[in-house]
Amino acid sequence: ESFKVGVQYLDDVPVKKGEIRQVAIKRDATQIYFESLPPQMRARHAHVPSWHYDMLNDSSRNDAYEKAIKRAVERKKGEKGMCEVLDAGAGSGILSMFAARSGADYVHACEQNGHMCDVGEETVCMNGYGLKIMFHNKDVRRLFTKESVGLIKHGLKPDGNPPEMDKKSDVLVFEVFDSGLIGEGAFHIVGMARHRLLKPDATLVPRAAKMFAAPIEYRFQNYQTLDGKHVIDLTTANRWRYRDDYEGVNLEKLPKSAWKALANPKPFFNFDFYAWEENMRPREEPISFEITEEGTFNAIAFWFDLELDEETTLTTNPFAEHGEKGATWQQAVQHVEELTLKPGDSLKVVAAHDTYGISFRVDDSKLEFDRGQRRTKCPLYDGAWQAHHIEFKRVTDSLAQTITQSPVAFRETCETAVACGSRPGDLKFEAWAGADFCTKFMS
């Protein structure tokens, strides 16, 4: 599990069985890499994040979306005689092509990442859908139609540019979900599309999502040496697992000894994407877990069932049967302060959400045992680390506010980011840290 296979992409070269092709293998101080002979000639003008390949290879996800999109488009065509589709977060354009194949008269594919927009445009053209699918390299929240509210004089957008779309769409397809469902801004995207880009009776694919959660033990254990004579204590490292947000973990792919559920999963939030105004309001919901397994509770795992339509549902359930869950999404795991639990204990938890994330906290006021007697020796986090983290967050938040309000500060920060990437040593950065900051900020 610790090591994975490395993959490097080269130019496509057709080959026949038994044919010999030469490849040059090279290395420097940090990597091994390959070059085709002759060297590749096609310029790499776009960078595709690796998780896009997981989605494109996830047949269960793609099959489910194609079925639901086909039903939605055909239903609208039957009702109105025509159908226009909006694809929010279009990426490679696969959902847009599903819509075009299903008979959509026109598809507006919106993708804010410039690299992915290039990839999507080329992909739809290579597949013969260039006249039916229009890519917009913009955040969907910046799109307007000629029928949208908020236009100014002469039918222009507030920024003075003309609207991108002639009329509102009949169907919205979107797949902008992270392991915790809403971390990529799904509520904002659906809300603005419903407000400005969709007809009142537009169909949403997907239409809803149901959330589930379970308390789990997911921590470093002691390691026994091969000779069986010594035990290396790794438990103290658990204090560094803490994050102030959830992280994505493929629980179903971990060894059985790596984690265990301490109670049966419970449902909590049920999001109807048509009720976008309600979803945008922060909300809390209590959850009560009856503990069935003895162990150290240090995290809550949560996942979702995604209802594409009345017939098709995708799941990220780690307990799903083989083949029901694809490779696209992980489960979300949020770490909490460690407590030892026993069968029969009742654990009261409060789930909360805003517009960008879901979080949990243990309701100490309703615990039926003394928390102090159930604590382990491991604190929730390292105190020195937390102090640095709080100061770092304060500086980051202040910088974000400043560059948003001041174009001069934004330009100066961009110049600093480029300097970090191009000459990190001058600013006392390690090379990887300078490159990472430059890439994240400038993207």
Side-chain angles (χ1 to χ4, degrees), residues 294-322:
E294 183 172 357
T296 301
F297 163 56
N298 73 320
I300 294 177
F302 61 104
W303 57 90
F304 56 85
D305 284 355
L306 192 64
E307 296 182 10
L308 301 185
D309 61 9
E310 64 279 0
E311 298 183 32
T312 307
T313 298
L314 289 170
T315 185
T316 62
N317 186 349
F319 305 106
E321 294 293 330
H322 179 70

Side-chain angles (χ1 to χ4, degrees), residues 83-158:
C83 175
E84 289 201 3
V85 176
L86 172 63
D87 181 2
S92 64
I94 187 170
L95 302 188
S96 296
M97 288 186 284
F98 288 163
R101 277 176 50 83
S102 301
D105 296 279
Y106 203 75
V107 182
H108 290 275
C110 187
E111 174 55 53
Q112 67 174 347
N113 183 291
H115 290 282
M116 286 310 306
C117 197
D118 285 347
V119 170
E121 283 184 327
E122 185 170 332
T123 302
V124 299
C125 289
M126 292 290 289
N127 282 276
Y129 297 109
L131 298 179
K132 269 199 171 186
I133 301 174
M134 169 64 76
F135 261 82
H136 303 279
N137 184 198
K138 290 185 179 178
D139 188 319
V140 71
R141 292 168 288 186
R142 301 292 181 263
L143 288 184
F144 280 77
T145 77
K146 293 180 180 178
E147 303 171 342
S148 298
V149 296
L151 297 177
I152 59 174
K153 190 176 181 180
H154 305 304
L156 299 177
K157 295 167 53 177

Side-chain angles (χ1 to χ4, degrees), residues 162-191:
E164 292 81 6
M165 301 165 58
D166 288 334
K167 57 185 177 180
K168 295 184 177 181
S169 296
D170 303 287
V171 176
L172 171 67
V173 299
F174 59 104
E175 202 280 69
V176 284
F177 306 110
D178 69 337
S179 57
L181 185 72
I182 60 176
E184 295 183 10
F187 288 168
H188 291 265
I189 290 169
V190 174

Side-chain angles (χ1 to χ4, degrees), residues 351-408:
H353 81 80
D354 53 20
T355 61
Y356 273 106
I358 295 172
S359 61
F360 298 85
R361 70 174 188 275
V362 177
D363 190 349
D364 287 350
S365 66
K366 295 185 178 179
L367 289 180
E368 298 174 356
F369 49 81
D370 184 352
R371 172 183 275 273
Q373 295 179 354
R374 297 291 189 92
R375 283 193 174 104
T376 66
K377 296 179 181 179
C378 179
L380 177 59
Y381 47 73
D382 181 87
W385 171 86
Q386 179 70 353
H388 288 297
H389 179 72
I390 292 173
E391 177 61 15
F392 176 77
K393 190 174 187 304
R394 184 192 67 79
V395 172
T396 302
D397 291 346
S398 175
L399 175 63
Q401 182 178 6
T402 301
I403 64 178
T404 300
Q405 297 173 348
S406 170
V408 174

